[in-house]
Amino acid sequence: MTPRPLHRVLALLALLTATALALPAARAHGILVPTDRTLPPLGLQSHRVEIAVNDGIALVTIDQVWKNSTDRPLEATYFFPVPRGAVVSGFELEVNGKMQKGEMLEREKAARIYQDIVNRLRDPGLVEWMDKDLFQVRIFPVPARGTQKLRLKYVQAAEVIGGNFRIVYPLRTSNQSLQTLEDFTLTAKLRGAIPVRTVYSPSHRVSITNRDGTTTVGFEDDRVLLDKDFVLYFGMSNEDVGITTLTHKKGSDSGFFLLTAAPRASLESKEIQGKAITFVLDTSGSMTGEKMEQARAALKYCIERLGSDDRFDIVRFASDVERFSSSGMVAASDSNKKRALEFVDGFEAAGGTAIDEALTAALARAEAGSLVLFVTDGRPTVGEVDTTAILKQAEKRNVNKARLFVMGVGEDLNTHLMDLLGSTHGGTSHYVRPGEDVKVAISALYEQIAFPILSDVQLTIDGVKVYAQLPQRIPDLFRGQQLIVTGRYRGAGKAKVRLEGRLGKETRRFEVTVDFPEEQKEQDFIATVWAHRQVGYLLDQIRLNGETRELREEVIQLAKQYGIVTPYTSWLVVDDSELTAPPRPRPPEPRPPWPHPPWGPRPIRPPWQEGDAGGGASPTTTTPQASPRDLERKADERERIVRDTAAAGQGRAEAFRDDRGKAGLDAAEAVKILKEKSDDAPEVQAVKRIGGRVFRWSGTEGWVDQAADASQKRVRITAFSAEWTALASRGADVRQALALGDRIQIRIGDTVYVITP
């Protein structure tokens, strides 16, 4: 098949999306409703989705297993709201050896069925089915205590937004059917005549791999809350580094942007100039035992993977400092690597921790633009021990601007020192908690920085006024990683986005022209991502440099507006089932209670309460060993301190200023997670941003639109009444709000509509 040129692909997609896909996607994974009107919808046991995208055209294949939990066979009807612009291309369902046929319903007939289902189930989550085509099939029998499998396929064009492609797979159907009984798996395979460069999901934490011209995106977990659509953006480019930009701007307010940049996945090692790297390893007495064994193994792993054009050195330190090479960095020849492995085999854990002397040894002889991988498990105890003095000395010695990547092992660390060393010298800081594998952590960090693409990266945007850009200092770009930059903008129009950096001795520049619109109501998740990163930046300034009134007030203002957990804000913690009208049944296999942040007491939650199925997007490509489920579980653990909320009462701001012990480590990771947040999942259930509106939960009033004013006219409407249905017909943004539950206050124009049961 001859590849289609990009301009023809874009023209085709523009034609398809102009009439249909510009509308919001339906929220629906389908629903299986028994004919017996006394029974609720059947439970969704497993839900598996494969999305194959070729030049922007998506073939979606859905495999579902539904569970009949009653003691008798059931007759039921399967309904699937078909997304606008999609065409059902296949349906497979076998009952008693016979294939069942489904049918597409005309809009008027579908509307009548929709109204009947809503009235019967009294489920506001179904309001978003309005104005959608329905696919239905009658099923009999669904075996007693048995399951029913089905497969449905449809074809849909990816939406084109500002040069990006967007795929939306609708998940939420109703407030009564929010969770799979077992697993949910989604795999998207992206291909095109022009290679896929950037991939970003604001809705779910995904794994991303690239192989043989195909980009594979995966999400997998057990007993998933199906409470939000799966959204995926991707960009295509023939450049070695692809750049895409998304925007959000409402009314006269300043806009938000989110820029992603990623190198060509097929860059071979031989195309990337060799690096210079110094390995610095703490061998003090506290590293005795398994930690020392794992650290030695990790260092040997790194040495064995050095390329033939790399240069390296090793610094061992305890109470003293010892170099591998007396003459500076050496070539990574086979003979030098063999000597280095023998040098590492001789490491023994003994003595104190001379961090200042080790940094001096590593930085003083570092080559221009080289990398330093610094591993320690303790605070400075030998020589200079003052944090400020150590930082000043490191800055003075690092004349060649080496990038410093710090790995802290255990909890007996000065996290302020670790974080400042990494951020000041263009690197990062990472931590290995007690019980975690040191070898895995060090090896993974090395793989992330093993192939530098661009260093001394500069981002310039000409044509609009950009401010509050995060991160303020653009990090180096490595193979397999993706850069994410967020910020605010004023003005509107075409702007030139330029990413410039150094590859070896050569300067490389990549440019794209981007439209920064006067108004872009969609993609409001960008505002949420920026707000979290801004709060993380502000908290880092407070944690490391001290609190000021201006910093504290900005943190509080953003935290309240976007529902962010901070040391300065307290939130009411409520069970998800309290936030919707129909109560959720108690799940049969409870998870343990959520851990809590260092700046607030543990909230009291029902022991059967499930964790949030929301996640985040992965800003980087994961290693092949990390399955989507492993990625999800690992990230759940590492984000434990920001998914929970503080209980009612004053936040304990002093807790996150600790620089050592478990509290210091928790605070360092909490701030880092905020600074790197790339999804729109809130940490508190009591605040939701929907369709550009902010709703806050009140125990007495339900969900309250924060734009509502006490002086505005109130109109009371009973949920599921004719007036309620008429209100829902006023737009997709209104339906999204009404789907929250049957107790809502929503402002439309100068009127506040009060929805009551």
Side-chain angles (χ1 to χ4, degrees):
M1 178 179 174
T2 304
R4 284 172 276 186
L6 181 61
H7 71 276
R8 290 179 59 190
V9 175
L10 293 177
L12 171 62
L13 292 174
L15 176 64
L16 289 169
T17 58
T19 57
L21 293 178
L23 298 172
R27 289 176 176 267
H29 59 66
I31 189 169
L32 189 56
V33 183
T35 304
D36 185 341
R37 301 177 71 88
T38 65
L39 297 176
L42 271 64
L44 181 57
Q45 181 166 299
S46 68
H47 187 178
R48 294 167 187 171
V49 184
E50 292 187 2
I51 305 175
V53 184
N54 199 331
D55 283 332
I57 307 299
L59 171 61
V60 182
T61 302
I62 306 160
D63 288 290
Q64 296 176 334
V65 179
W66 298 86
K67 175 72 173 179
N68 176 5
S69 298
T70 72
D71 294 319
R72 57 189 171 97
L74 294 178
E75 180 181 15
T77 303
Y78 178 70
F79 297 100
F80 186 88
V82 181
R84 285 292 185 88
V87 176
V88 175
S89 58
F91 180 77
E92 300 175 18
L93 184 148
E94 186 173 328
V95 178
N96 291 334
K98 296 182 179 180
M99 295 301 298
Q100 305 296 306
K101 293 184 178 180
E103 63 173 328
M104 286 294 300
L105 302 181
E106 297 178 357
R107 188 67 52 82
E108 291 184 3
K109 186 175 181 180
R112 290 195 300 270
I113 291 176
Y114 151 77
Q115 191 63 53
D116 179 69
I117 295 174
V118 170
N119 290 337
R120 170 182 164 183
L121 300 180
R122 299 188 64 80
D123 187 343
L126 294 169
V127 68
E128 294 186 73
W129 284 27
M130 287 185 66
D131 297 328
K132 303 297 184 290
D133 294 324
L134 274 181
F135 177 86
Q136 78 164 18
V137 61
R138 185 64 60 89
I139 303 172
F140 180 81
V142 181
R145 298 291 174 183
T147 59
Q148 178 62 63
K149 300 178 181 179
L150 61 85
R151 169 176 289 182
L152 185 142
K153 298 180 180 181
Y154 66 83
V155 179
Q156 186 178 28
E159 191 174 358
V160 181
I161 300 179
N164 292 275
F165 293 88
R166 181 171 75 172
I167 293 290
V168 179
Y169 178 69
L171 279 173
R172 176 172 176 176
T173 294
S174 71
N175 291 336
Q176 296 182 21
S177 182
L178 284 178
Q179 187 178 32
T180 60
L181 300 176
E182 294 180 2
D183 64 290
F184 169 68
T185 302
L186 185 145
T187 303
K189 295 183 180 295
L190 315 176
R191 293 182 60 89
I194 294 177
V196 173
R197 286 286 181 269
T198 57
V199 180
Y200 173 72
S201 173
S203 60
H204 290 73
R205 189 180 296 114
V206 297
S207 64
I208 306 168
T209 57
N210 297 278
R211 183 176 298 173
D212 300 329
T214 298
T215 299
T216 301
V217 181
F219 175 85
E220 179 182 9
D221 202 7
D222 294 329
R223 306 185 58 180
V224 176
L225 289 176
L226 304 178
D227 58 348
K228 57 184 176 180
D229 294 344
F230 177 85
V231 182
L232 184 70
Y233 292 86
F234 62 96
M236 306 169 78
S237 173
N238 279 318
E239 297 289 339
D240 284 343
V241 176
I243 303 172
T244 59
T245 304
L246 299 169
T247 59
H248 170 69
K249 191 172 187 294
K250 189 174 181 181
S252 60
D253 296 341
S254 297
F256 300 83
F257 72 89
L258 187 147
L259 177 145
T260 57
R264 174 161 53 92
S266 58
L267 279 171
E268 300 294 336
S269 301
K270 62 184 179 182
E271 299 181 76
I272 303 172
Q273 186 165 327
K275 63 184 175 296
I277 184 167
T278 301
F279 302 101
V280 185
L281 182 63
D282 179 352
T283 62
S284 60
S286 56
M287 288 286 289
T288 301
E290 189 177 26
K291 281 197 293 186
M292 190 72 256
E293 293 176 7
Q294 292 177 351
R296 273 199 303 261
L299 185 50
K300 293 170 72 173
Y301 172 94
C302 298
I303 293 169
E304 289 168 348
R305 279 156 181 76
L306 289 170
S308 59
D309 55 351
D310 290 338
R311 295 172 58 78
F312 76 102
D313 196 4
I314 304 170
V315 174
R316 180 205 61 77
F317 75 97
S319 297
D320 64 327
V321 173
E322 181 183 10
R323 284 181 169 280
F324 165 67
S325 170
S326 59
S327 58
M329 290 193 172
V330 298
S333 63
D334 289 343
S335 60
N336 284 335
K337 288 163 66 173
K338 180 180 179 181
R339 288 196 305 113
L341 293 173
E342 294 171 351
F343 177 65
V344 173
D345 280 334
F347 288 177
E348 294 181 357
T353 309
I355 287 179
D356 180 62
E357 190 177 349
L359 285 168
T360 297
L363 296 174
R365 286 166 51 176
E367 297 180 357
S370 64
L371 310 174
V372 176
L373 179 53
F374 188 95
V375 181
T376 181
D377 78 332
R379 294 173 283 109
T381 60
V382 175
E384 182 62 70
V385 297
D386 179 73
T387 297
T388 302
I390 292 173
L391 291 169
K392 287 182 178 179
Q393 181 76 349
E395 192 168 359
K396 179 181 177 181
R397 292 292 187 184
N398 194 13
V399 294
N400 284 324
K401 297 182 179 180
R403 305 303 194 257
L404 183 55
F405 296 87
V406 181
M407 176 72 73
V409 180
E411 296 177 345
D412 188 25
L413 300 162
N414 184 324
T415 55
H416 289 192
L417 176 61
M418 300 291 101
D419 290 346
L420 286 168
L421 284 172
S423 62
T424 303
H425 298 276
T428 54
S429 54
H430 306 261
Y431 297 98
V432 185
R433 290 180 177 271
E436 294 182 344
D437 193 310
V438 177
K439 178 185 176 181
V440 170
I442 296 175
S443 303
L445 176 57
Y446 173 76
E447 290 295 342
Q448 290 179 22
I449 64 176
F451 300 103
I453 303 296
L454 285 180
S455 60
D456 296 327
V457 180
Q458 301 292 324
L459 174 65
T460 306
I461 301 178
D462 295 326
V464 293
K465 175 65 175 178
V466 170
Y467 68 101
Q469 173 187 298
L470 297 167
Q472 293 186 340
R473 177 175 179 171
I474 306 300
D476 291 354
L477 189 59
F478 297 88
R479 188 181 75 174
Q481 293 188 354
Q482 184 164 271
L483 172 67
I484 295 181
V485 180
T486 61
R488 306 293 305 269
Y489 73 90
R490 297 188 181 97
K494 299 290 184 182
K496 183 169 290 187
V497 177
R498 182 185 307 113
L499 194 69
E500 188 173 340
R502 185 169 51 83
L503 178 58
K505 297 180 180 179
E506 178 185 359
T507 297
R508 300 289 303 275
R509 176 181 296 177
F510 304 92
E511 293 183 353
V512 294
T513 300
V514 175
D515 182 29
F516 285 79
E518 184 66 41
E519 186 166 57
Q520 170 59 276
K521 293 183 179 180
E522 292 189 70
Q523 300 163 173
D524 59 350
F525 67 86
I526 300 174
T528 302
V529 172
W530 173 83
H532 279 77
R533 292 189 170 208
Q534 178 72 357
V535 167
Y537 167 76
L538 296 171
L539 288 177
D540 218 17
Q541 296 303 304
I542 294 172
R543 184 173 72 94
L544 301 176
N545 303 314
E547 178 185 294
T548 67
R549 182 174 60 85
E550 292 79 9
L551 290 174
R552 183 181 65 251
E553 289 180 353
E554 186 175 355
V555 167
I556 293 172
Q557 183 264 322
L558 288 172
K560 288 183 176 180
Q561 183 177 354
Y562 290 91
I564 303 172
V565 179
T566 78
Y568 299 96
T569 49
S570 297
W571 295 96
L572 172 66
V573 178
V574 290
D575 183 354
D576 282 348
S577 64
E578 297 175 33
L579 306 184
T580 56
R584 223 167 31 167
R586 176 171 175 165
E589 296 178 7
R591 294 179 180 174
W594 290 353
H596 60 291
W599 45 71
R602 181 184 298 275
I604 299 174
R605 304 179 61 85
W608 57 86
Q609 171 61 28
E610 291 293 309
D612 186 358
S618 172
T620 65
T621 304
T622 63
T623 59
Q625 290 80 11
S627 71
R629 182 170 297 180
D630 290 340
L631 182 69
E632 179 73 15
R633 289 172 175 168
K634 178 67 173 176
D636 279 346
E637 170 62 21
R638 294 188 66 82
E639 291 188 7
R640 64 185 179 80
I641 49 183
V642 292
R643 291 189 318 182
D644 251 351
T645 60
Q650 293 298 315
R652 293 185 290 172
E654 71 278 4
F656 94 114
R657 299 197 191 106
D658 289 340
D659 65 358
R660 62 195 63 193
K662 184 177 184 300
L665 193 56
D666 283 349
E669 290 201 329
V671 171
K672 183 178 181 180
I673 290 168
L674 286 172
K675 289 169 65 178
E676 297 178 354
K677 188 175 177 68
S678 56
D679 66 277
D680 63 345
E683 285 80 40
V684 290
Q685 306 98 318
V687 175
K688 292 187 182 293
R689 294 179 61 84
I690 296 178
R693 295 180 171 90
V694 178
F695 291 88
R696 186 165 294 149
W697 174 258
S698 165
T700 58
E701 299 176 306
W703 291 105
V704 179
D705 189 337
Q706 294 304 287
D709 188 277
S711 64
Q712 292 164 336
K713 177 183 177 183
R714 254 59 177 177
V715 174
R716 294 188 174 275
I717 294 178
T718 301
F720 312 112
S721 65
E723 292 82 3
W724 181 86
T725 302
L727 184 65
S729 67
R730 297 182 64 166
D733 61 329
V734 177
R735 289 195 289 275
Q736 291 172 13
L738 293 180
L740 284 171
D742 58 7
R743 288 198 296 152
I744 303 172
Q745 294 186 20
I746 177 174
R747 175 182 170 179
I748 304 176
D750 294 327
T751 302
V752 177
Y753 293 88
V754 181
I755 312 301
T756 58

